[in-house]
Amino acid sequence: MHALTSLVDDQAPHAQRRSRSDWTPFSYDLRDTWFPVSHSRDVGNRPIRRIIHAQPYYLWRENGQPQAAEFHPERLGAERARYSAFTGGGGRYPLIERYGYVWAWYGNPDAADEQLLPHIPFLPVDGGLPGYTQRTVRFDASSALSVENLIDLTHADFLHANTIGDGLSESDVVEVEYTSETVTRTRIVARKSVAPVMRWVGGVRAKYQDFRAVLHIHLRSNVCISYPRFRPGYDVPNLQPFVPVGRYRSRCDVTFNTTAAPAPFRYLMPRINYIIQPQDNSVIRPQNQRYFEPGGRLDLHSRFDAPGTRYRYLMEKLVERQRNGDFSYGSDAEPGRDITALLGMDG
């Protein structure tokens, strides 16, 4: 068994020079976690290639069962001398198929544990959702910055106002819960202007609607589990896993489970990604390089920034622990715990 290095050590001198008032992530190459590397329906007999932090993953099926290896299956035997510690020297990654995704382990394969897979209560365990619920988008930014953009409570009201609504409301309450491995942001808005997409294709004729949105983030993998509820309107549960391709790229195989909503909303809502992604990308692309560089200007904060601030703090803690060789999960972590109540699905 080859030993996995903790994180990139050549950044350590920079870490020592860094002021605590600066926000510059050293590296978010966090290990020992499951990544949903592909929608299940995209994995067939012909191998496809995915990347996690520059580590290659080849995916294909043998007798209907998904496989994952670090080399093309036709070259697995020939590349035996180059098998890495990510596969324990065996060439193949630990893998689970669940919720309509193929999940591959990134890290020490001996630590792979099915109990560490996130619980996603609004997706069928065995998959099988219609194809219209799934889309793939890409961002020209690191996965951490992509997640921070999603956490930001103000960007959607302005950047996406023409699709999901503006920032006008009677009240707007933000709550944050967290463990050492997760951050949960809850936003509760009263008498918000009806989202245009619900008015145009959802048939909501009211002028205002109440809105409750829960975003549950798994820090190591940046898997974002989102449950927005609009009244009058519909629930729009969705999974947005920001898989880190590298410092400048992240891939998001999205699932919007809108099967309970009426037509045409159920078919069109998942396609909103093709409108929102270019808007988000236009903002985060120019930020990405600065995201990894120290600067003299400090962030300004409002009450809406608490979830993002907590995310940054906990990510730094995880980075520090892994740099010190500790890849374990804390007693409060429980990545696979039932989050039905946390998302507000039982109310």
Side-chain angles (χ1 to χ4, degrees), residues 45-65:
N45 295 332
R46 184 177 180 179
I48 60 175
R49 187 172 184 262
R50 296 290 185 264
I51 296 174
I52 302 175
H53 290 302
Q55 180 74 10
Y57 285 70
Y58 286 89
L59 309 172
W60 74 99
R61 292 187 186 272
E62 293 180 359
N63 300 318
Q65 298 303 309

Side-chain angles (χ1 to χ4, degrees), residues 105-126:
W105 183 258
Y106 180 78
N108 182 352
D110 291 340
D113 186 344
E114 186 175 333
Q115 299 301 314
L116 299 176
L117 198 74
H119 176 242
I120 308 171
F122 53 78
L123 296 183
V125 172
D126 297 328

Side-chain angles (χ1 to χ4, degrees), residues 33-34 99 103 116 123 155 157 172 204 230 257 316 343:
T33 188
W34 294 103
Y99 302 123
W103 301 72
L116 299 176
L123 296 183
H155 97 278
D157 294 337
D172 200 333
V204 177
F230 298 84
N257 189 355
E316 283 196 316
L343 296 179

